[in-house]
Structures are given as structure tokens and as C-alpha cells.
Amino acid sequence: MRRLFIFALILVSIGCKTGVVPDPNDPKDGPLSAERLRTNLAVTAQMLNDRWIKGEITDAQVQQFLTRRANDLLRGIQVDRLDPSVVWEYADILRTAKRWPEAVTFLRVAVQHPPNEDRRVNDTLRLAQALCYTDKVAEAIPLARTVFNAKPAEKAPILPSVLLEIVPAAEGKGHDAELAQLLEDAIYQHQMVIVDPKSEGGQAFLQARPHHTRRAWGEVIRLFDQSGHPDKATEAGKKSTEMLAGQASVRRNRRSIGKLA
């Protein structure tokens, strides 16, 4: 499932394209632009997905081949020669290649030059994840909190990033209690998100919110408990019950109103 999730992220972010993958070592192709690099990686991901569906390769081999391709594409690319506004695109490929120290370098530049608020939020959270993978969790946790000042319409990436990316990268590195608190606070950020309920994306967000909220509370409880704070784990369990019950009540009321209308 995780491989499918990563594959879906690649295709959603750059679109699914077909064609021949240019050889990054062939001089005639010239330096790869960010758009071309991301397109080439998408083609590779599509081919690997097709082979995985046919049972020709394993999940582990998909990750291995995708990482190798990303490394090939990134060969020779230097952050100081790039337009700061596109550095985030190369950072995405570095994350796919699991080249975390370099991803930190690129993302630090991206965070300093965000073209818009969406990029500030996403790239800050991605930098926090990369910092965790380089054992800089103490820096990553307060950094992630800096996006809590985003407007409600821009807060949507916060909880998924903390839950699915930062927590797995940071857990077990001596900061689990702080990590649990970050995740708990991210849950409340998630409740503030404003979306258009009539749009496809808005509807998808509203449908997924209870699931992400429930899963996040479970992780908060677990992290507090395993970090030696059973009292905070118990308190988080009570907060979880109250929040989820309240959300269920709101959903029931909406359904009732919809039937009356």
C-alpha cells in the first residue's frame, strides 16, 4: 500500500505521461529542467507500476529501481546553479531518491524563497521530514509548528504531513513526547481547515478527515505511552473520544438536514 501511495503522489504532482525516458547521461539531451526531470520520473514510475501489477517485480524492487532512476536524473545538479523558485521541484526528486542530507540543503533554499503560501507550508513540512531523517528532530519539530500560522484554507497539508511523513521519520530518536504533542496540535489544526464542500477536492477532504483524525489520535496515545507519559496518553484518549463523538454528531445532523431539503 505504501508503494502505491508514493506512486500516486508522483503521478498526481506531475501528471501521468508516456514516452521514452531520455538518458540523463546523454549530452544531446542537455541539462534536465525541473519539469522534464519530474516527467521522466513519472514515466519510470508508470512502467514500474505496470510491471508490479503483472507480478514481474516486487514492491521492494519498485522502490529500488525508482530510487536508482531518481539518482541518475539528479546527477550533476547543484542547488547554487538553480533558480530558487524551482528548487522545491528538485527537492521532491531528492526525497524520492532518499538522499536526505541533500534534500535538506535544497529545501532550506526553497523555504527561503516560497513563490506562494502553499509552497511555504508544503516545503516547510518537507524540510521538517528531511531533518528528521538526518537526526535533527529537535530542529524539525519547532520548524513544523511555524506553518500553524497559515490561513484555514492553507492548513490542509499539516496533519497528513505530520502523521504520515514526520512521525515515521522522527519516532524513536529521543523526542517522542514532543512528537506526540506536535501531532496532537496538528489534529486541532486539521479541524480548522476550510474547504469548498461543493468541489471534488473539498468533498474528498471532508470524507477523509474523520479517518485521519482517528488515526492521528491513536498515534498520539501510542507515542505518549511509549515515551513514559501514561497520564498524557489517557488524557489524549479522552480528548479523542470527545472530538470523534462531536464529529459524528455533526455528520448525522448534516445528513438529516440533507434529507429534509
Side-chain angles (χ1 to χ4, degrees):
M1 289 298 294
R2 179 169 176 77
R3 189 204 61 77
L4 289 173
F5 173 72
I6 293 172
F7 172 72
L9 283 181
I10 293 171
L11 294 186
V12 167
S13 64
I14 56 185
C16 181
K17 296 179 172 62
T18 60
V20 177
V21 182
D23 180 357
N25 300 311
D26 189 343
K28 73 178 191 231
D29 288 320
L32 287 177
S33 67
E35 179 182 359
R36 189 170 168 196
L37 184 152
R38 286 154 61 86
T39 298
N40 290 348
L41 190 61
V43 172
T44 301
Q46 179 68 65
M47 291 188 295
L48 290 172
N49 185 64
D50 291 343
R51 293 186 63 190
W52 178 80
I53 290 174
K54 295 176 182 177
E56 296 176 354
I57 56 177
T58 66
D59 185 89
Q61 287 175 315
V62 169
Q63 284 299 314
Q64 180 184 357
F65 294 150
L66 194 59
T67 298
R68 184 185 303 168
R69 181 60 180 166
N71 278 318
D72 286 342
L73 291 169
L74 288 163
R75 192 173 300 162
I77 294 175
Q78 299 178 13
V79 68
D80 57 355
R81 296 182 179 180
L82 300 174
D83 181 337
S85 66
V86 301
V87 166
W88 69 270
E89 299 187 64
Y90 294 92
D92 268 0
I93 309 303
L94 286 164
R95 292 169 70 237
T96 299
K98 303 185 187 306
R99 288 164 55 171
W100 299 111
E102 293 168 88
V104 167
T105 299
F106 276 59
L107 285 165
R108 286 193 192 280
V109 174
V111 168
Q112 292 172 1
H113 303 276
N116 52 54
E117 181 68 354
D118 178 70
R119 287 260 51 92
R120 179 186 77 90
V121 173
N122 279 284
D123 292 338
T124 299
L125 293 166
R126 291 170 182 178
L127 174 56
Q129 179 202 26
L131 286 168
C132 291
Y133 275 118
T134 55
D135 297 328
K136 297 181 176 67
V137 181
E139 179 184 354
I141 291 176
L143 175 67
R145 289 184 176 278
T146 63
V147 302
F148 285 9
N149 64 1
K151 294 180 180 179
E154 304 289 349
K155 291 180 182 288
I158 295 175
L159 180 62
S161 293
V162 174
L163 174 64
L164 301 175
E165 298 181 340
I166 294 174
V167 167
E171 185 179 352
K173 297 180 178 179
H175 299 272
D176 284 0
E178 299 99 314
L179 194 61
Q181 191 60 62
L182 171 68
L183 183 55
E184 178 177 339
D185 295 341
I187 291 172
Y188 287 101
Q189 291 291 310
H190 204 55
Q191 311 314 305
M192 300 178 193
V193 176
I194 294 177
V195 297
D196 179 2
K198 296 181 180 180
S199 70
E200 183 177 345
Q203 291 174 6
F205 174 87
L206 294 173
Q207 290 176 357
R209 178 150 57 184
H211 169 73
H212 285 143
T213 301
R214 187 179 301 105
R215 180 175 174 181
W217 274 120
E219 287 294 284
V220 169
I221 295 168
R222 183 181 64 82
L223 287 167
F224 271 136
D225 190 55
Q226 74 180 26
S227 62
H229 296 83
D231 53 333
K232 291 186 177 182
T234 300
E235 183 181 357
K238 294 178 181 178
K239 293 177 182 178
S240 170
T241 299
E242 293 175 0
M243 178 179 289
L244 293 172
Q247 290 181 346
S249 177
V250 169
R251 291 196 298 274
R252 285 195 298 270
N253 289 338
R254 285 176 177 170
R255 285 195 294 268
S256 298
I257 293 173
K259 290 179 180 179
L260 291 174

